[in-house]
Amino acid sequence: MRRKGDALALLTGSQARRAALAAQGLARPRPTGRLDRRHLRALFAQVGVVQIDSVNVLARAHYLPGWSRLGPYSREMFDRLVRVERYAYEYWAHEASLVPVAWEPLLRWRAAAALAGDGMWRGIAAFGRERADYVADALAQVRDRGPLAAADLAEPGRGGGGWWGWADGKRAMEYLMWTGQLCVAGRRPSFERLYDLPERVIPPAVLGLPTPDPHDAVRILLGHAADRLGVATAGDLADYFRLPAAVARPRLAELVENGELVEVGVVGWSARAYARPGLTVARRAAGRALLSPFDPLVWERARTRRLFGMDVVLELYTPAPKRRYGYYVLPFLLGDRLAARVDLKADRAARVLRVAAAWHEPDPGSDIPAPRRPGRPGRAGRAGRPSDVAADRVLAGADPEGVDLADRELADRELGGAELEGAELEGADPGGSASDGPDPSSPAAVAAELAAELAALAGWLGLDRIEVVANGTLAPALTRAVAALGAAG
């Protein structure tokens, strides 16, 4: 632990990027060979939180982190792992998310706070108070009839239209889910939630675990975030599980005091950062992946600017004439750089992957100071490893990490950075090569790698060809690369 007067360990921006990529399973090429359920369990062990969003212009958001890290895995296998085997469950972690079901005890404090009217949307909290009889009747219907969608209630009410014009039935079901009285049992093909009692969704072995003290739970969540971010500011750590600053700040200080996290500096970062004492920084990054705008690597926009120099802008709800990059834009990771961004749409009827725009990103330099925050919103939403002693006490009878140790080992072996030669934080290599692959500053090199990535993505989505619209600085080179790929095939 750093004592008063000790110098902070100082990392370069490049080291911070590589640490983040390794923590997220994106520092190395995807695994080769057959992908099975062990890889999907390892995915959850690696990222911890898989954000959900209803937009389906390319693929549902919760499927894309698996593509980015694994390649062409089976989405049906993913659904079975979550909905049948109950390896993960859906709750408010980082927005609406899938998290390992073994972590359910760590989030009970959030449900209890919601029941007291704290930490949930004001309109839903007010509805729960003011329409308590209606909410109680909705709960009774689920208890008596089994899994129900909001529209299945005897008197579901009528919505007001638009994204958030929810009917009374939807408000009641969401209130019951947020407060832990109901869980999401599944989703219909329309993506409509089905709600059921927790004892019919959460495995008994998990439901029977003791409820941890909220302070213990928050420390563990901050530790989980640290393990999955590599190097992070206090804000980054809190954001991973959407922890309020007032809740996270004292627990973070305790983790530092206990020696479970250490304070570090990063060149170009104005805020102090934190990392595990034994953090190893990979000497190179060799991954290649398209990333959903809801991917854990990029979902916190200020962090993405600090690490990569890219403003990831979510323009789904921006009027078309005002969009800068497009409707559903995915950053393209090449080595340790976000080297491009592409606006993608899966035209399922025509079996075409359409590239509505493609933009090459200029080299931001090796140490990236935080650019001035733009006026548009930053996060990808609509509108933080603890000590083994603490984990053992809180989750008695369960793996201290909350996920199977074999899954963590597989994640480290096939997704993480353990295989890459690295340097520990103490006395870390001041620079180190960022990547040994294609030059991300070359549009032609980026276009060739992106074309190969798009071809693989199209195949995974069941699409037959790629069409590139002449829009964006990378579009000409990408058009040529896609054509060359077709000729080569």
Side-chain angles (χ1 to χ4, degrees):
M1 183 177 67
R2 190 180 72 93
R3 295 179 299 273
K4 186 175 181 179
D6 289 350
L8 285 175
L10 185 64
L11 301 178
T12 66
S14 179
Q15 286 176 315
R17 283 195 299 279
R18 284 177 272 137
L21 291 167
Q24 279 289 313
L26 290 164
R28 64 174 60 183
R30 297 179 175 111
T32 58
R34 178 176 174 269
L35 297 172
D36 58 30
R37 59 190 295 278
R38 296 175 305 154
H39 291 87
L40 295 178
R41 290 166 63 103
L43 170 69
F44 276 103
Q46 188 77 51
V47 302
V49 179
V50 177
Q51 188 173 342
I52 298 170
D53 191 83
S54 61
V55 174
N56 196 28
V57 66
L58 179 66
R60 299 289 187 194
H62 60 284
Y63 291 134
L64 290 173
W67 162 261
S68 300
R69 291 155 180 81
L70 297 174
Y73 74 94
S74 166
R75 283 167 285 173
E76 293 77 13
M77 186 186 301
F78 182 97
D79 291 339
R80 286 197 304 273
L81 184 71
V82 173
R83 302 303 184 192
V84 179
E85 299 179 35
R86 301 296 185 191
Y87 187 76
Y89 85 117
E90 185 174 334
Y91 191 59
W92 295 101
H94 181 97
E95 301 294 334
S97 309
L98 295 169
V99 294
V101 74
W103 292 3
E104 185 270 342
L106 300 176
L107 293 167
R108 291 177 191 167
W109 66 272
R110 178 164 283 167
L115 194 57
D118 295 330
M120 66 190 303
W121 295 338
R122 292 180 182 177
I124 299 298
F127 186 89
R129 292 193 306 269
E130 297 165 5
R131 301 292 303 278
D133 290 345
Y134 182 89
V135 171
D137 182 67
L139 178 59
Q141 289 185 54
V142 174
R143 182 182 297 113
D144 295 342
R145 296 167 56 191
L148 296 178
D152 298 330
L153 294 174
E155 296 181 7
R158 296 178 62 119
W163 282 109
W164 306 115
W166 285 353
D168 287 350
K170 176 66 172 175
R171 294 176 187 271
M173 294 298 222
E174 288 296 307
Y175 175 85
L176 290 166
M177 173 199 163
W178 214 317
T179 57
Q181 299 176 76
L182 292 179
C183 287
V184 178
R187 287 182 180 263
R188 287 180 172 157
S190 63
F191 213 57
E192 186 178 17
R193 279 174 172 155
L194 294 170
Y195 305 83
D196 205 351
L197 301 178
E199 56 265 34
R200 299 199 292 237
V201 176
I202 306 299
V206 175
L207 208 58
L209 290 172
T211 299
D213 176 86
H215 291 178
D216 288 338
V218 170
R219 275 193 297 270
I220 294 173
L221 291 173
L222 287 168
H224 283 327
D227 289 334
R228 289 155 182 87
L229 291 172
V231 179
T233 66
D236 299 339
L237 293 169
D239 180 74
Y240 210 81
F241 291 95
R242 288 291 200 256
L243 301 171
V247 172
R249 190 180 299 114
R251 308 289 80 81
L252 178 58
E254 290 165 358
L255 289 171
V256 174
E257 181 69 23
N258 294 338
E260 298 175 56
L261 293 179
V262 294
E263 299 173 344
V264 300
V266 180
V267 175
W269 292 21
S270 60
R272 184 165 296 175
Y274 301 85
R276 287 295 186 188
L279 177 72
T280 297
V281 178
R283 293 190 186 278
R284 62 186 179 91
R288 184 190 79 185
L290 283 163
L291 302 169
S292 158
F294 303 100
D295 192 279
L297 183 70
V298 298
W299 66 23
E300 212 294 307
R301 303 318 189 206
R303 175 176 171 83
T304 306
R305 285 193 292 272
R306 268 184 273 117
L307 282 171
F308 299 102
M310 176 188 275
D311 282 313
V312 177
V313 183
L314 188 65
E315 299 180 295
L316 289 169
Y317 314 109
T318 302
K322 296 183 177 181
R323 291 178 193 144
R324 181 178 179 185
Y325 296 109
Y327 180 77
Y328 198 75
V329 179
L330 287 77
F332 178 54
L333 175 70
L334 188 61
D336 77 335
R337 284 268 311 279
L338 295 180
R341 61 180 101 203
V342 285
D343 183 12
L344 298 182
K345 178 180 180 179
D347 186 336
R348 297 173 182 87
R351 301 181 67 84
V352 171
L353 178 60
R354 300 195 187 279
V355 184
W359 307 86
H360 182 237
E361 288 294 308
D363 186 351
S366 59
D367 294 315
I368 306 168
R372 186 170 58 187
R373 181 182 293 273
R376 308 203 66 84
R379 286 174 179 156
R382 290 192 186 278
R385 190 164 40 217
S387 70
D388 289 345
V389 174
D392 284 336
R393 183 175 71 249
V394 173
L395 299 179
D399 163 42
E401 293 253 346
V403 293
D404 193 289
L405 291 175
D407 299 333
R408 287 292 295 177
E409 290 168 359
L410 182 63
D412 289 340
R413 186 169 65 249
E414 299 215 15
L415 300 178
E419 185 177 274
L420 301 178
E421 183 180 6
E424 289 192 0
L425 182 60
E426 296 297 329
D429 169 35
S433 60
S435 65
D436 300 322
D439 181 5
S441 66
S442 164
V446 172
E449 293 294 323
L450 179 55
E453 179 77 0
L454 291 169
L457 177 63
W460 181 59
L461 296 175
L463 307 175
D464 295 335
R465 65 186 192 280
I466 304 164
E467 291 184 0
V468 182
V469 176
N471 183 20
T473 57
L474 192 62
L478 183 59
T479 299
R480 293 190 293 270
V482 168
L485 199 63

